[in-house]
Amino acid sequence: MGLVKYDIKEQDFDHSKSDQYELSILFGMDSFAYLVRRLAGGAIAAFRSVELVSESREDYGSKIIRAVHNDDLLRLNLIRNLHIAWLQPTATLVPARLYNPDAQKDYLGHLSELAADFECLADDLKVLETKIVYGYREIAREPIIRRFSPRSEHHFASGLLSDWANSPLAKSDRSTFANFRDQRVTVACIEQGQIKFFNIFEYADAKDALYFVLLAYQQCGWSPAKTPLKVSGELTEDSAVYKQLYRFVKQPDFYDFGHSAGLIGPAMQHLPTHIYSDLLTIGTW
């Protein structure tokens, strides 16, 4: 299945009663993570995060399907109330008033060379009056959609941006936000509810991650010594990335997406909420 980084299940989780739960899955390029929640009340029943052994990106769809078959919960395919989010670096924001659905590839073409079977998708971020345009190679997306038949799918950044923009600090002042997963950092600078900067970067090491966060500050003309940084995702205080951020940025605060209060059972108590609370935005934004 790959390297299991986190695997937590509440003792009372009974996957045979699949109609009582909903499943939110995040697919990265070399990883997947999911949360199982109770439909009644939203309590978290299970959390798993897996790093896949990278064979080749051309074989992404098959690699994911093989991993699913080795996952004791996903292979059962019992939970039908299911939502999917994609974490892809090829994504851009377009003001809703200027958006043209026939120009999706034009929006993305300046970011990356698009393969012939590259499929463009778009999410409507109503809270920001913005569209996020992104895409996936058909060879990667199609087998996953066929396998899971999700009730919804969207780019992972859609949930992140919507939640960040609604946070009290971003609505009243300014803040930089960074989410770390799958060796990718999703960065946004938000001032009084308006997006000033957004991008997704792939990084090789902690210095790369720091560079991309500081780049966001630079592009906005903001001082990293004065403007708060809110971090989330699979990041801990003893990680190399956090230590680099701590040296150069006003003390990074871990960001809880605000939906986890009252949803955490005994098995999840020891795990900082910022590690998984971003997954709560899947299917809810």
Side-chain angles (χ1 to χ4, degrees), residues 22 24 83-85 152 154 279-285:
E22 67 176 350
S24 299
H83 308 278
I84 282 176
S152 70
H154 59 85
L279 301 180
L280 292 168
T281 67
I282 297 175
T284 62
W285 64 273

Side-chain angles (χ1 to χ4, degrees), residues 3-284:
L3 173 64
V4 178
K5 295 184 286 186
Y6 297 97
D7 187 14
I8 302 173
K9 293 179 182 177
E10 295 295 341
Q11 190 171 6
D12 60 353
F13 172 47
D14 183 356
H15 62 66
S16 68
K17 299 178 180 178
S18 58
D19 59 336
Q20 297 181 9
Y21 301 96
E22 67 176 350
L23 176 63
S24 299
I25 312 176
L26 171 65
F27 290 110
M29 292 301 295
D30 296 301
S31 70
F32 68 88
Y34 61 78
L35 278 178
V36 179
R37 300 176 65 188
R38 297 184 185 278
L39 286 173
I44 298 171
F47 166 51
R48 178 173 286 171
S49 177
V50 178
E51 181 179 337
L52 300 176
V53 176
S54 182
E55 297 170 6
S56 73
R57 295 194 174 180
E58 298 298 319
D59 195 38
Y60 176 83
S62 299
K63 181 170 60 176
I64 285 287
I65 295 302
R66 285 196 299 271
V68 166
H69 284 318
N70 289 324
D71 186 284
D72 60 349
L73 177 63
L74 296 184
R75 72 165 177 262
L76 298 175
N77 202 30
L78 294 175
I79 300 176
R80 298 297 180 179
N81 192 23
L82 188 148
H83 308 278
I84 282 176
W86 310 103
L87 177 54
Q88 293 298 304
T90 307
T92 191
L93 297 181
V94 180
R97 69 183 187 280
L98 302 177
Y99 173 71
N100 179 358
D102 297 326
Q104 289 179 331
K105 284 197 173 182
D106 295 332
Y107 298 136
L108 297 175
H110 72 284
L111 298 176
S112 176
E113 184 176 348
L114 306 183
D117 63 348
F118 191 87
E119 181 177 6
C120 290
L121 305 167
D123 297 339
D124 187 9
L125 307 185
K126 292 183 174 62
V127 68
L128 296 166
E129 299 180 343
T130 300
K131 297 276 189 177
I132 179 169
V133 182
Y134 62 102
Y136 232 118
R137 293 194 63 185
E138 187 176 309
I139 193 174
R141 176 176 173 267
E142 194 275 336
I144 296 171
I145 295 298
R146 187 175 65 246
R147 172 68 174 77
F148 287 106
S149 300
R151 295 197 175 181
S152 70
E153 64 169 317
H154 59 85
H155 196 284
F156 189 46
S158 296
L160 300 181
L161 289 168
S162 297
D163 196 286
W164 288 339
N166 274 321
S167 65
L169 182 60
K171 290 177 76 172
S172 63
D173 198 355
R174 62 171 58 159
S175 188
T176 300
F177 298 85
N179 182 266
F180 297 85
R181 283 193 179 275
D182 195 29
Q183 292 297 112
R184 285 159 181 81
V185 54
T186 302
V187 189
C189 297
I190 305 177
E191 184 174 22
Q192 296 182 347
Q194 300 296 312
I195 298 285
K196 301 299 182 182
F197 178 90
F198 162 76
N199 214 330
I200 302 168
F201 301 102
E202 182 175 2
Y203 61 90
D205 54 33
K207 290 184 178 180
D208 278 353
L210 172 67
Y211 170 80
F212 291 128
V213 172
L214 293 180
L215 177 64
Y217 278 98
Q218 182 187 48
Q219 291 294 308
C220 293
W222 295 358
S223 167
K226 296 179 179 179
T227 304
L229 174 66
K230 306 296 184 181
V231 297
S232 58
E234 295 187 349
L235 189 73
T236 59
E237 286 187 348
D238 61 353
S239 65
V241 170
Y242 184 86
K243 289 177 180 178
Q244 284 288 336
L245 294 172
Y246 191 87
R247 290 180 59 197
F248 293 94
V249 183
K250 182 178 181 179
Q251 184 173 349
D253 292 324
F254 289 114
Y255 183 82
D256 183 339
F257 280 76
H259 307 292
S260 57
L263 306 180
I264 304 168
M268 297 285 289
Q269 289 290 343
H270 73 283
L271 194 64
T273 57
H274 71 270
I275 289 176
Y276 60 85
S277 66
D278 53 348
L279 301 180
L280 292 168
T281 67
I282 297 175
T284 62

